[in-house]
Amino acid sequence: MIKAVIFDCFGVLSNANLWHEFLGDLSDPEQIEKVKELNQHCDAGVITRDDFFNGVKQVTGKVLHDVESLDSTESLKNNRLISYISELKKAGYKIGLISNTGSNWISESFLSQDELVLFDAMILSFEVGVTKPNPEIYEIACERLAIKPDEGVFIDDIEDYCEAARTEGLKAIHYKNYAQIKTDLEQLLNHK
């Protein structure tokens, strides 16, 4: 039986993914790989946000303002999904979040206090020192939510991260849009 639903932030709770747009604007494959590596190091807490911004600027030549906009609050909330999360919480499900992020932006700027209380556990990669798809991040989520893996559903917009969660025993749904996720999740939740 499903006891917890675990969400990704960027591309799921947030409609806009400025990071993917930024990467899409880069044309040099070597630059893209170096920038992705910097992002991974920042998300894992190996380097600071300032080191990340400076490194990206050095690699891409993009002015710091353009790079810092990746960290802005311009990402739009998926308000329908957040309302649905509130319904899930009222129905007795534990709610979790796993995000590859290099800062406290989600809890300090993105989610309101009323939205933060919906989450029983927030696993932010920079705090735990591992990023998706590392199996350890899914194990941490299950521990903090006090569930066995087969009692949780993980939702992410990146299929590789969903597959990694499945490998750890979680059920997983690849997020495409709100209507699809609600239908897919309700089928899982109603299947006893």
Side-chain angles (χ1 to χ4, degrees):
M1 178 160 82
I2 302 299
K3 295 181 179 176
V5 184
I6 306 163
F7 295 88
D8 169 48
C9 183
F10 302 103
V12 177
L13 294 180
S14 160
N15 290 317
N17 195 328
L18 298 174
W19 174 245
H20 289 293
E21 289 176 27
F22 178 80
L23 287 176
D25 289 341
L26 300 176
S27 55
D28 180 352
E30 193 174 311
Q31 269 189 354
I32 293 169
E33 285 311 307
K34 286 180 182 175
V35 167
K36 283 182 177 179
E37 185 178 323
L38 283 167
N39 184 55
Q40 206 166 33
H41 288 318
C42 182
D43 285 349
V46 175
I47 62 173
T48 67
R49 283 305 269 177
D50 286 341
D51 291 341
F52 167 71
F53 289 140
N54 291 330
V56 171
K57 181 182 177 189
Q58 197 170 29
V59 169
T60 65
K62 300 274 186 187
V63 295
L64 193 56
H65 173 74
D66 294 342
V67 177
E68 285 176 335
S69 73
L70 294 173
D71 214 24
S72 75
T73 56
E74 292 173 24
S75 291
L76 302 173
K77 284 183 192 174
N78 188 338
N79 288 316
R80 289 193 323 170
L81 182 58
I82 291 172
S83 292
Y84 182 53
I85 289 170
S86 180
E87 291 174 30
L88 291 169
K89 180 80 172 173
K90 287 175 189 164
Y93 293 100
K94 294 180 182 182
I95 305 297
L97 179 136
I98 299 175
S99 185
N100 286 354
T101 182
S103 72
N104 278 321
W105 177 81
I106 295 167
S107 57
E108 291 178 355
S109 301
F110 181 65
L111 294 174
S112 70
Q113 287 303 312
D114 289 342
E115 293 162 348
L116 283 171
V117 298
L118 296 173
F119 294 88
D120 298 289
M122 294 180 78
I123 296 81
L124 306 178
S125 61
F126 83 101
E127 290 180 340
V128 296
V130 291
T131 59
K132 296 176 287 182
N134 186 312
E136 190 178 341
I137 204 161
Y138 305 102
E139 293 166 12
I140 293 167
C142 290
E143 286 171 19
R144 290 190 184 172
L145 290 166
I147 61 166
K148 297 176 195 157
D150 65 354
E151 295 173 330
V153 179
F154 175 64
I155 299 166
D156 202 299
D157 63 319
I158 299 176
E159 177 57 38
D160 287 348
Y161 297 167
C162 291
E163 190 54 42
R166 287 183 198 104
T167 300
E168 293 309 303
L170 291 155
K171 291 173 180 50
I173 301 171
H174 182 205
Y175 183 93
K176 296 177 185 114
N177 59 58
Y178 172 75
Q180 165 262 331
I181 194 60
K182 188 170 189 238
T183 300
D184 290 354
L185 182 57
E186 288 182 358
Q187 285 177 352
L188 275 177
L189 298 178
N190 294 326
H191 180 72
K192 305 292 179 197

